[in-house]
Amino acid sequence: MSDILRLPAERQYESELEALKAAERGAVPDGWKMSPSSVYAYIVGGEVNGTKITPKYIGNSRLVQVAIATLMTDRGLLLTGEPGTAKSRLSEHLAAAVSGCSSLVVQGSMGTTEEQVRYSWNYATLIASGPSEGALVKTPIYKAMEEGLCARFEELSRCAPETQDALISMLSEKCIAVPELRSELRARRGFSLIATSNTRDRGTNDMSAALARRFNTVVLPSPATFELEMEIVTGRVAELCGQLRLPAPQPGDRAVAKAVTVLRELRTGATLDGREKLRSPLSSCSAAETISLLTGALAFACGFGDGEIRDEHLASYLRGSAVKDEEKDGAAWKEYLENIMRKRGGEWQELYKRASEQEN
Ligand SMILES: Nc1ncnc2c1ncn2[C@@H]1O[C@H](COP(=O)(O)OP(=O)(O)OP(=O)(O)O)[C@@H](O)[C@H]1O
Ligand SMILES: [Mg+2]
């Protein structure tokens, strides 16, 4: 299995899920693999009978409880928030813990059709033998209803309103009618839907009030403090380095703190001490962006250096993260370099020098 780049959550964390199931004390809802409190332990981390449970979501644990409780009700769960706030990650791990299966996913896009939400037909079989169960092509949501599992819908607000609205009857009646077969599929216990949607991307469609009522919305915030952001970034970078076979940064590596500082300041529009305001670029500068930036810089440092991230590596990757739109973000980045980083001096001097060299 080691040649698989990324396993689904339920495979990657199989031993944790097994340990939690073996130690189960609570009541397990119908169709679930474990009790709500075990799902919670799987998400926030801890230890069970000597097995370490790694935290999957770091932050407001009350939000995680609300999300889990929602899955016990007849409403869907909608995770929204700024880009890179772990909506997809939380959705995948919730589905893995609740249903033992996180791969029943509809990837929403402008091109997603109603057939990709309900069901479609294998036209060769349909023409050869007419409508039959065998000619029906089941969507991930159809399969989730049939088997009583969690289905996931990524980027719901990117879909056209008519595609989104196909979910209304599915969520309220928990049933998909198949008029061609004069039948209907009624969802088994355990079925639920976890959707994610981004509050900031352009090209998104507002959700109808009718659909919004069928969801309980949980807004995932950006990390509240610098320390929390450091914890998220350090943990995830170490985990990713393991997957990508890269050496993880040493604890206390200043490159990590510098990357978190710069992107956090750019995102929040103020210096860490709150004394100076600054212009935020349009690009998201999220913790997720910092994680990608650091893994990129590490790969660079390993491929072309001695494995240690130096300011020269950091400089190019920082620019790449902060400036997604040259015209709009370029100016904000230059302002940051001149007004904030240059004035800091000390350990920031070299980074400033390397970063400003690229501007000329
Ligand atoms: N609070 C957090 N706890 C744990 N990991 C986090 C947290 N915030 C961000 N991350 C990390 O950020 C990365 C991106 O997360 P994810 O892709 O789930 O974000 P998203 O909200 O779905 O973003 P997008 O809106 O771009 O789809 C993941 O690697 C995740 O581990
Ligand atoms: Mg996502």
PDB file of all heavy atoms in Angstrom, residues 237-274:
ATOM      1  N   VAL A 237       2.323  19.858   8.497  1.00  0.00           N
ATOM      2  CA  VAL A 237       3.542  19.770   7.686  1.00  0.00           C
ATOM      3  C   VAL A 237       4.280  18.479   8.040  1.00  0.00           C
ATOM      4  O   VAL A 237       4.711  17.732   7.159  1.00  0.00           O
ATOM      5  CB  VAL A 237       4.447  21.011   7.862  1.00  0.00           C
ATOM      6  CG1 VAL A 237       5.809  20.800   7.234  1.00  0.00           C
ATOM      7  CG2 VAL A 237       3.791  22.238   7.240  1.00  0.00           C
ATOM      8  N   ALA A 238       4.358  18.171   9.341  1.00  0.00           N
ATOM      9  CA  ALA A 238       5.044  16.939   9.755  1.00  0.00           C
ATOM     10  C   ALA A 238       4.341  15.723   9.147  1.00  0.00           C
ATOM     11  O   ALA A 238       4.987  14.809   8.625  1.00  0.00           O
ATOM     12  CB  ALA A 238       5.066  16.853  11.270  1.00  0.00           C
ATOM     13  N   GLU A 239       3.007  15.740   9.188  1.00  0.00           N
ATOM     14  CA  GLU A 239       2.232  14.616   8.649  1.00  0.00           C
ATOM     15  C   GLU A 239       2.444  14.469   7.137  1.00  0.00           C
ATOM     16  O   GLU A 239       2.685  13.377   6.628  1.00  0.00           O
ATOM     17  CB  GLU A 239       0.753  14.880   8.950  1.00  0.00           C
ATOM     18  CG  GLU A 239      -0.089  13.643   9.014  1.00  0.00           C
ATOM     19  CD  GLU A 239      -1.536  14.005   9.367  1.00  0.00           C
ATOM     20  OE1 GLU A 239      -1.743  14.851  10.276  1.00  0.00           O
ATOM     21  OE2 GLU A 239      -2.433  13.489   8.733  1.00  0.00           O
ATOM     22  N   LEU A 240       2.391  15.612   6.454  1.00  0.00           N
ATOM     23  CA  LEU A 240       2.572  15.590   4.995  1.00  0.00           C
ATOM     24  C   LEU A 240       3.986  15.139   4.621  1.00  0.00           C
ATOM     25  O   LEU A 240       4.171  14.425   3.639  1.00  0.00           O
ATOM     26  CB  LEU A 240       2.317  16.979   4.404  1.00  0.00           C
ATOM     27  CG  LEU A 240       0.861  17.297   4.112  1.00  0.00           C
ATOM     28  CD1 LEU A 240       0.702  18.761   3.738  1.00  0.00           C
ATOM     29  CD2 LEU A 240       0.355  16.423   2.968  1.00  0.00           C
ATOM     30  N   CYS A 241       4.968  15.586   5.416  1.00  0.00           N
ATOM     31  CA  CYS A 241       6.350  15.191   5.139  1.00  0.00           C
ATOM     32  C   CYS A 241       6.481  13.677   5.219  1.00  0.00           C
ATOM     33  O   CYS A 241       7.182  13.058   4.416  1.00  0.00           O
ATOM     34  CB  CYS A 241       7.310  15.851   6.118  1.00  0.00           C
ATOM     35  SG  CYS A 241       7.573  17.570   5.729  1.00  0.00           S
ATOM     36  N   GLY A 242       5.780  13.075   6.181  1.00  0.00           N
ATOM     37  CA  GLY A 242       5.791  11.620   6.292  1.00  0.00           C
ATOM     38  C   GLY A 242       5.252  10.984   5.022  1.00  0.00           C
ATOM     39  O   GLY A 242       5.847  10.063   4.461  1.00  0.00           O
ATOM     40  N   GLN A 243       4.106  11.505   4.553  1.00  0.00           N
ATOM     41  CA  GLN A 243       3.485  10.956   3.338  1.00  0.00           C
ATOM     42  C   GLN A 243       4.366  11.149   2.112  1.00  0.00           C
ATOM     43  O   GLN A 243       4.443  10.299   1.241  1.00  0.00           O
ATOM     44  CB  GLN A 243       2.152  11.653   3.074  1.00  0.00           C
ATOM     45  CG  GLN A 243       0.990  11.086   3.838  1.00  0.00           C
ATOM     46  CD  GLN A 243      -0.264  11.933   3.652  1.00  0.00           C
ATOM     47  OE1 GLN A 243      -0.458  12.602   2.652  1.00  0.00           O
ATOM     48  NE2 GLN A 243      -1.126  11.904   4.642  1.00  0.00           N
ATOM     49  N   LEU A 244       5.015  12.311   2.041  1.00  0.00           N
ATOM     50  CA  LEU A 244       5.794  12.643   0.846  1.00  0.00           C
ATOM     51  C   LEU A 244       7.256  12.205   0.957  1.00  0.00           C
ATOM     52  O   LEU A 244       8.055  12.507   0.068  1.00  0.00           O
ATOM     53  CB  LEU A 244       5.732  14.156   0.577  1.00  0.00           C
ATOM     54  CG  LEU A 244       4.338  14.742   0.349  1.00  0.00           C
ATOM     55  CD1 LEU A 244       4.395  16.252   0.273  1.00  0.00           C
ATOM     56  CD2 LEU A 244       3.717  14.194  -0.922  1.00  0.00           C
ATOM     57  N   ARG A 245       7.555  11.521   2.073  1.00  0.00           N
ATOM     58  CA  ARG A 245       8.933  11.053   2.300  1.00  0.00           C
ATOM     59  C   ARG A 245       9.944  12.202   2.308  1.00  0.00           C
ATOM     60  O   ARG A 245      11.006  12.136   1.689  1.00  0.00           O
ATOM     61  CB  ARG A 245       9.359  10.039   1.230  1.00  0.00           C
ATOM     62  CG  ARG A 245       8.396   8.885   1.050  1.00  0.00           C
ATOM     63  CD  ARG A 245       8.834   7.724   1.934  1.00  0.00           C
ATOM     64  NE  ARG A 245       8.125   6.501   1.622  1.00  0.00           N
ATOM     65  CZ  ARG A 245       6.941   6.155   2.132  1.00  0.00           C
ATOM     66  NH1 ARG A 245       6.303   6.958   2.953  1.00  0.00           N
ATOM     67  NH2 ARG A 245       6.379   5.008   1.828  1.00  0.00           N
ATOM     68  N   LEU A 246       9.564  13.288   2.975  1.00  0.00           N
ATOM     69  CA  LEU A 246      10.487  14.426   3.137  1.00  0.00           C
ATOM     70  C   LEU A 246      10.825  14.527   4.622  1.00  0.00           C
ATOM     71  O   LEU A 246       9.997  14.187   5.458  1.00  0.00           O
ATOM     72  CB  LEU A 246       9.804  15.739   2.697  1.00  0.00           C
ATOM     73  CG  LEU A 246       9.528  15.953   1.221  1.00  0.00           C
ATOM     74  CD1 LEU A 246       8.632  17.174   1.033  1.00  0.00           C
ATOM     75  CD2 LEU A 246      10.822  16.132   0.448  1.00  0.00           C
ATOM     76  N   PRO A 247      12.021  15.013   4.991  1.00  0.00           N
ATOM     77  CA  PRO A 247      12.311  15.184   6.418  1.00  0.00           C
ATOM     78  C   PRO A 247      11.521  16.378   6.970  1.00  0.00           C
ATOM     79  O   PRO A 247      11.534  17.456   6.363  1.00  0.00           O
ATOM     80  CB  PRO A 247      13.818  15.472   6.435  1.00  0.00           C
ATOM     81  CG  PRO A 247      14.137  15.976   5.077  1.00  0.00           C
ATOM     82  CD  PRO A 247      13.133  15.437   4.118  1.00  0.00           C
ATOM     83  N   ALA A 248      10.823  16.172   8.073  1.00  0.00           N
ATOM     84  CA  ALA A 248      10.006  17.254   8.647  1.00  0.00           C
ATOM     85  C   ALA A 248      10.915  18.325   9.250  1.00  0.00           C
ATOM     86  O   ALA A 248      12.029  18.023   9.681  1.00  0.00           O
ATOM     87  CB  ALA A 248       9.094  16.678   9.717  1.00  0.00           C
ATOM     88  N   PRO A 249      10.460  19.599   9.278  1.00  0.00           N
ATOM     89  CA  PRO A 249      11.275  20.639   9.908  1.00  0.00           C
ATOM     90  C   PRO A 249      11.498  20.321  11.385  1.00  0.00           C
ATOM     91  O   PRO A 249      10.645  19.721  12.031  1.00  0.00           O
ATOM     92  CB  PRO A 249      10.420  21.909   9.763  1.00  0.00           C
ATOM     93  CG  PRO A 249       9.353  21.587   8.798  1.00  0.00           C
ATOM     94  CD  PRO A 249       9.183  20.108   8.778  1.00  0.00           C
ATOM     95  N   GLN A 250      12.658  20.708  11.892  1.00  0.00           N
ATOM     96  CA  GLN A 250      12.961  20.496  13.311  1.00  0.00           C
ATOM     97  C   GLN A 250      12.041  21.376  14.159  1.00  0.00           C
ATOM     98  O   GLN A 250      11.650  22.451  13.719  1.00  0.00           O
ATOM     99  CB  GLN A 250      14.409  20.920  13.600  1.00  0.00           C
ATOM    100  CG  GLN A 250      15.463  20.092  12.908  1.00  0.00           C
ATOM    101  CD  GLN A 250      15.406  18.633  13.343  1.00  0.00           C
ATOM    102  OE1 GLN A 250      15.294  18.346  14.530  1.00  0.00           O
ATOM    103  NE2 GLN A 250      15.429  17.719  12.380  1.00  0.00           N
ATOM    104  N   PRO A 251      11.695  20.906  15.389  1.00  0.00           N
ATOM    105  CA  PRO A 251      10.891  21.775  16.249  1.00  0.00           C
ATOM    106  C   PRO A 251      11.631  23.104  16.465  1.00  0.00           C
ATOM    107  O   PRO A 251      12.846  23.117  16.611  1.00  0.00           O
ATOM    108  CB  PRO A 251      10.791  20.981  17.560  1.00  0.00           C
ATOM    109  CG  PRO A 251      11.171  19.579  17.214  1.00  0.00           C
ATOM    110  CD  PRO A 251      12.044  19.628  16.006  1.00  0.00           C
ATOM    111  N   GLY A 252      10.887  24.182  16.427  1.00  0.00           N
ATOM    112  CA  GLY A 252      11.506  25.498  16.644  1.00  0.00           C
ATOM    113  C   GLY A 252      12.148  26.075  15.396  1.00  0.00           C
ATOM    114  O   GLY A 252      12.796  27.123  15.465  1.00  0.00           O
ATOM    115  N   ASP A 253      11.966  25.397  14.239  1.00  0.00           N
ATOM    116  CA  ASP A 253      12.511  25.926  12.987  1.00  0.00           C
ATOM    117  C   ASP A 253      11.907  27.316  12.711  1.00  0.00           C
ATOM    118  O   ASP A 253      10.688  27.467  12.648  1.00  0.00           O
ATOM    119  CB  ASP A 253      12.148  24.949  11.851  1.00  0.00           C
ATOM    120  CG  ASP A 253      12.845  25.295  10.549  1.00  0.00           C
ATOM    121  OD1 ASP A 253      13.160  26.482  10.351  1.00  0.00           O
ATOM    122  OD2 ASP A 253      13.066  24.388   9.737  1.00  0.00           O
ATOM    123  N   ARG A 254      12.783  28.305  12.568  1.00  0.00           N
ATOM    124  CA  ARG A 254      12.284  29.673  12.404  1.00  0.00           C
ATOM    125  C   ARG A 254      11.566  29.874  11.071  1.00  0.00           C
ATOM    126  O   ARG A 254      10.745  30.769  10.938  1.00  0.00           O
ATOM    127  CB  ARG A 254      13.444  30.679  12.532  1.00  0.00           C
ATOM    128  CG  ARG A 254      13.980  30.833  13.931  1.00  0.00           C
ATOM    129  CD  ARG A 254      12.929  31.313  14.915  1.00  0.00           C
ATOM    130  NE  ARG A 254      12.400  32.618  14.578  1.00  0.00           N
ATOM    131  CZ  ARG A 254      11.220  33.081  15.009  1.00  0.00           C
ATOM    132  NH1 ARG A 254      10.457  32.345  15.781  1.00  0.00           N
ATOM    133  NH2 ARG A 254      10.798  34.285  14.653  1.00  0.00           N
ATOM    134  N   ALA A 255      11.896  29.057  10.071  1.00  0.00           N
ATOM    135  CA  ALA A 255      11.228  29.211   8.778  1.00  0.00           C
ATOM    136  C   ALA A 255       9.718  29.012   8.934  1.00  0.00           C
ATOM    137  O   ALA A 255       8.920  29.720   8.316  1.00  0.00           O
ATOM    138  CB  ALA A 255      11.788  28.207   7.777  1.00  0.00           C
ATOM    139  N   VAL A 256       9.332  28.076   9.801  1.00  0.00           N
ATOM    140  CA  VAL A 256       7.905  27.806   9.998  1.00  0.00           C
ATOM    141  C   VAL A 256       7.241  29.042  10.623  1.00  0.00           C
ATOM    142  O   VAL A 256       6.211  29.534  10.147  1.00  0.00           O
ATOM    143  CB  VAL A 256       7.702  26.558  10.895  1.00  0.00           C
ATOM    144  CG1 VAL A 256       6.232  26.307  11.145  1.00  0.00           C
ATOM    145  CG2 VAL A 256       8.369  25.347  10.272  1.00  0.00           C
ATOM    146  N   ALA A 257       7.861  29.563  11.684  1.00  0.00           N
ATOM    147  CA  ALA A 257       7.279  30.722  12.362  1.00  0.00           C
ATOM    148  C   ALA A 257       7.226  31.931  11.431  1.00  0.00           C
ATOM    149  O   ALA A 257       6.257  32.704  11.443  1.00  0.00           O
ATOM    150  CB  ALA A 257       8.096  31.045  13.605  1.00  0.00           C
ATOM    151  N   LYS A 258       8.256  32.088  10.603  1.00  0.00           N
ATOM    152  CA  LYS A 258       8.265  33.246   9.690  1.00  0.00           C
ATOM    153  C   LYS A 258       7.141  33.126   8.662  1.00  0.00           C
ATOM    154  O   LYS A 258       6.430  34.090   8.389  1.00  0.00           O
ATOM    155  CB  LYS A 258       9.611  33.323   8.966  1.00  0.00           C
ATOM    156  CG  LYS A 258      10.712  33.935   9.808  1.00  0.00           C
ATOM    157  CD  LYS A 258      11.967  34.042   8.957  1.00  0.00           C
ATOM    158  CE  LYS A 258      13.167  34.432   9.795  1.00  0.00           C
ATOM    159  NZ  LYS A 258      14.409  34.358   9.044  1.00  0.00           N
ATOM    160  N   ALA A 259       6.983  31.929   8.094  1.00  0.00           N
ATOM    161  CA  ALA A 259       5.925  31.744   7.088  1.00  0.00           C
ATOM    162  C   ALA A 259       4.553  31.990   7.701  1.00  0.00           C
ATOM    163  O   ALA A 259       3.712  32.684   7.124  1.00  0.00           O
ATOM    164  CB  ALA A 259       6.010  30.337   6.506  1.00  0.00           C
ATOM    165  N   VAL A 260       4.332  31.447   8.908  1.00  0.00           N
ATOM    166  CA  VAL A 260       3.027  31.645   9.557  1.00  0.00           C
ATOM    167  C   VAL A 260       2.808  33.127   9.842  1.00  0.00           C
ATOM    168  O   VAL A 260       1.730  33.670   9.590  1.00  0.00           O
ATOM    169  CB  VAL A 260       2.912  30.807  10.862  1.00  0.00           C
ATOM    170  CG1 VAL A 260       1.640  31.139  11.621  1.00  0.00           C
ATOM    171  CG2 VAL A 260       2.962  29.320  10.553  1.00  0.00           C
ATOM    172  N   THR A 261       3.848  33.800  10.325  1.00  0.00           N
ATOM    173  CA  THR A 261       3.713  35.224  10.651  1.00  0.00           C
ATOM    174  C   THR A 261       3.307  36.022   9.410  1.00  0.00           C
ATOM    175  O   THR A 261       2.328  36.776   9.433  1.00  0.00           O
ATOM    176  CB  THR A 261       5.057  35.786  11.185  1.00  0.00           C
ATOM    177  OG1 THR A 261       5.470  34.990  12.269  1.00  0.00           O
ATOM    178  CG2 THR A 261       4.927  37.228  11.612  1.00  0.00           C
ATOM    179  N   VAL A 262       4.057  35.835   8.307  1.00  0.00           N
ATOM    180  CA  VAL A 262       3.799  36.656   7.114  1.00  0.00           C
ATOM    181  C   VAL A 262       2.392  36.414   6.575  1.00  0.00           C
ATOM    182  O   VAL A 262       1.627  37.361   6.356  1.00  0.00           O
ATOM    183  CB  VAL A 262       4.859  36.370   6.019  1.00  0.00           C
ATOM    184  CG1 VAL A 262       4.508  37.087   4.740  1.00  0.00           C
ATOM    185  CG2 VAL A 262       6.243  36.776   6.503  1.00  0.00           C
ATOM    186  N   LEU A 263       2.026  35.144   6.387  1.00  0.00           N
ATOM    187  CA  LEU A 263       0.707  34.897   5.791  1.00  0.00           C
ATOM    188  C   LEU A 263      -0.427  35.278   6.744  1.00  0.00           C
ATOM    189  O   LEU A 263      -1.472  35.752   6.307  1.00  0.00           O
ATOM    190  CB  LEU A 263       0.572  33.449   5.332  1.00  0.00           C
ATOM    191  CG  LEU A 263       1.396  33.031   4.113  1.00  0.00           C
ATOM    192  CD1 LEU A 263       0.756  31.867   3.387  1.00  0.00           C
ATOM    193  CD2 LEU A 263       1.617  34.147   3.120  1.00  0.00           C
ATOM    194  N   ARG A 264      -0.214  35.113   8.035  1.00  0.00           N
ATOM    195  CA  ARG A 264      -1.258  35.494   8.994  1.00  0.00           C
ATOM    196  C   ARG A 264      -1.456  37.015   8.988  1.00  0.00           C
ATOM    197  O   ARG A 264      -2.565  37.523   9.007  1.00  0.00           O
ATOM    198  CB  ARG A 264      -0.879  34.998  10.398  1.00  0.00           C
ATOM    199  CG  ARG A 264      -1.964  35.238  11.408  1.00  0.00           C
ATOM    200  CD  ARG A 264      -1.653  34.631  12.758  1.00  0.00           C
ATOM    201  NE  ARG A 264      -2.667  35.075  13.699  1.00  0.00           N
ATOM    202  CZ  ARG A 264      -3.838  34.479  13.866  1.00  0.00           C
ATOM    203  NH1 ARG A 264      -4.133  33.411  13.197  1.00  0.00           N
ATOM    204  NH2 ARG A 264      -4.726  34.957  14.729  1.00  0.00           N
ATOM    205  N   GLU A 265      -0.334  37.728   8.958  1.00  0.00           N
ATOM    206  CA  GLU A 265      -0.439  39.190   8.941  1.00  0.00           C
ATOM    207  C   GLU A 265      -1.119  39.672   7.659  1.00  0.00           C
ATOM    208  O   GLU A 265      -1.963  40.565   7.691  1.00  0.00           O
ATOM    209  CB  GLU A 265       0.964  39.809   9.078  1.00  0.00           C
ATOM    210  CG  GLU A 265       1.517  39.603  10.484  1.00  0.00           C
ATOM    211  CD  GLU A 265       2.849  40.298  10.744  1.00  0.00           C
ATOM    212  OE1 GLU A 265       3.625  40.510   9.790  1.00  0.00           O
ATOM    213  OE2 GLU A 265       3.112  40.626  11.909  1.00  0.00           O
ATOM    214  N   LEU A 266      -0.751  39.051   6.535  1.00  0.00           N
ATOM    215  CA  LEU A 266      -1.377  39.454   5.276  1.00  0.00           C
ATOM    216  C   LEU A 266      -2.879  39.146   5.283  1.00  0.00           C
ATOM    217  O   LEU A 266      -3.689  39.922   4.807  1.00  0.00           O
ATOM    218  CB  LEU A 266      -0.704  38.747   4.098  1.00  0.00           C
ATOM    219  CG  LEU A 266       0.678  39.277   3.712  1.00  0.00           C
ATOM    220  CD1 LEU A 266       1.346  38.345   2.709  1.00  0.00           C
ATOM    221  CD2 LEU A 266       0.585  40.687   3.118  1.00  0.00           C
ATOM    222  N   ARG A 267      -3.231  38.007   5.846  1.00  0.00           N
ATOM    223  CA  ARG A 267      -4.646  37.618   5.848  1.00  0.00           C
ATOM    224  C   ARG A 267      -5.474  38.522   6.750  1.00  0.00           C
ATOM    225  O   ARG A 267      -6.547  38.990   6.384  1.00  0.00           O
ATOM    226  CB  ARG A 267      -4.784  36.164   6.305  1.00  0.00           C
ATOM    227  CG  ARG A 267      -6.218  35.670   6.284  1.00  0.00           C
ATOM    228  CD  ARG A 267      -6.337  34.234   6.742  1.00  0.00           C
ATOM    229  NE  ARG A 267      -6.162  34.102   8.177  1.00  0.00           N
ATOM    230  CZ  ARG A 267      -5.230  33.360   8.746  1.00  0.00           C
ATOM    231  NH1 ARG A 267      -4.387  32.670   8.014  1.00  0.00           N
ATOM    232  NH2 ARG A 267      -5.145  33.285  10.062  1.00  0.00           N
ATOM    233  N   THR A 268      -4.946  38.792   7.959  1.00  0.00           N
ATOM    234  CA  THR A 268      -5.738  39.564   8.919  1.00  0.00           C
ATOM    235  C   THR A 268      -5.640  41.071   8.675  1.00  0.00           C
ATOM    236  O   THR A 268      -6.430  41.832   9.211  1.00  0.00           O
ATOM    237  CB  THR A 268      -5.291  39.276  10.368  1.00  0.00           C
ATOM    238  OG1 THR A 268      -3.873  39.511  10.439  1.00  0.00           O
ATOM    239  CG2 THR A 268      -5.551  37.848  10.773  1.00  0.00           C
ATOM    240  N   GLY A 269      -4.680  41.488   7.852  1.00  0.00           N
ATOM    241  CA  GLY A 269      -4.561  42.912   7.552  1.00  0.00           C
ATOM    242  C   GLY A 269      -3.964  43.717   8.699  1.00  0.00           C
ATOM    243  O   GLY A 269      -4.212  44.922   8.816  1.00  0.00           O
ATOM    244  N   ALA A 270      -3.217  43.073   9.565  1.00  0.00           N
ATOM    245  CA  ALA A 270      -2.570  43.785  10.680  1.00  0.00           C
ATOM    246  C   ALA A 270      -1.354  42.994  11.143  1.00  0.00           C
ATOM    247  O   ALA A 270      -1.279  41.782  10.917  1.00  0.00           O
ATOM    248  CB  ALA A 270      -3.544  43.940  11.846  1.00  0.00           C
ATOM    249  N   THR A 271      -0.403  43.684  11.777  1.00  0.00           N
ATOM    250  CA  THR A 271       0.759  42.965  12.307  1.00  0.00           C
ATOM    251  C   THR A 271       0.318  42.130  13.518  1.00  0.00           C
ATOM    252  O   THR A 271      -0.749  42.401  14.094  1.00  0.00           O
ATOM    253  CB  THR A 271       1.859  43.949  12.750  1.00  0.00           C
ATOM    254  OG1 THR A 271       1.255  44.931  13.597  1.00  0.00           O
ATOM    255  CG2 THR A 271       2.508  44.625  11.568  1.00  0.00           C
ATOM    256  N   LEU A 272       1.132  41.139  13.883  1.00  0.00           N
ATOM    257  CA  LEU A 272       0.735  40.235  14.977  1.00  0.00           C
ATOM    258  C   LEU A 272       0.416  40.984  16.260  1.00  0.00           C
ATOM    259  O   LEU A 272      -0.507  40.624  16.983  1.00  0.00           O
ATOM    260  CB  LEU A 272       1.853  39.219  15.267  1.00  0.00           C
ATOM    261  CG  LEU A 272       2.076  38.095  14.258  1.00  0.00           C
ATOM    262  CD1 LEU A 272       3.089  37.102  14.809  1.00  0.00           C
ATOM    263  CD2 LEU A 272       0.789  37.389  13.889  1.00  0.00           C
ATOM    264  N   ASP A 273       1.188  42.054  16.549  1.00  0.00           N
ATOM    265  CA  ASP A 273       0.917  42.805  17.782  1.00  0.00           C
ATOM    266  C   ASP A 273      -0.263  43.773  17.619  1.00  0.00           C
ATOM    267  O   ASP A 273      -0.628  44.480  18.557  1.00  0.00           O
ATOM    268  CB  ASP A 273       2.179  43.558  18.236  1.00  0.00           C
ATOM    269  CG  ASP A 273       2.705  44.509  17.157  1.00  0.00           C
ATOM    270  OD1 ASP A 273       1.963  44.760  16.186  1.00  0.00           O
ATOM    271  OD2 ASP A 273       3.855  44.977  17.281  1.00  0.00           O
ATOM    272  N   GLY A 274      -0.858  43.809  16.433  1.00  0.00           N
ATOM    273  CA  GLY A 274      -2.043  44.629  16.203  1.00  0.00           C
ATOM    274  C   GLY A 274      -1.749  46.112  16.056  1.00  0.00           C
ATOM    275  O   GLY A 274      -2.676  46.915  15.898  1.00  0.00           O
TER     276      GLY A 274
END
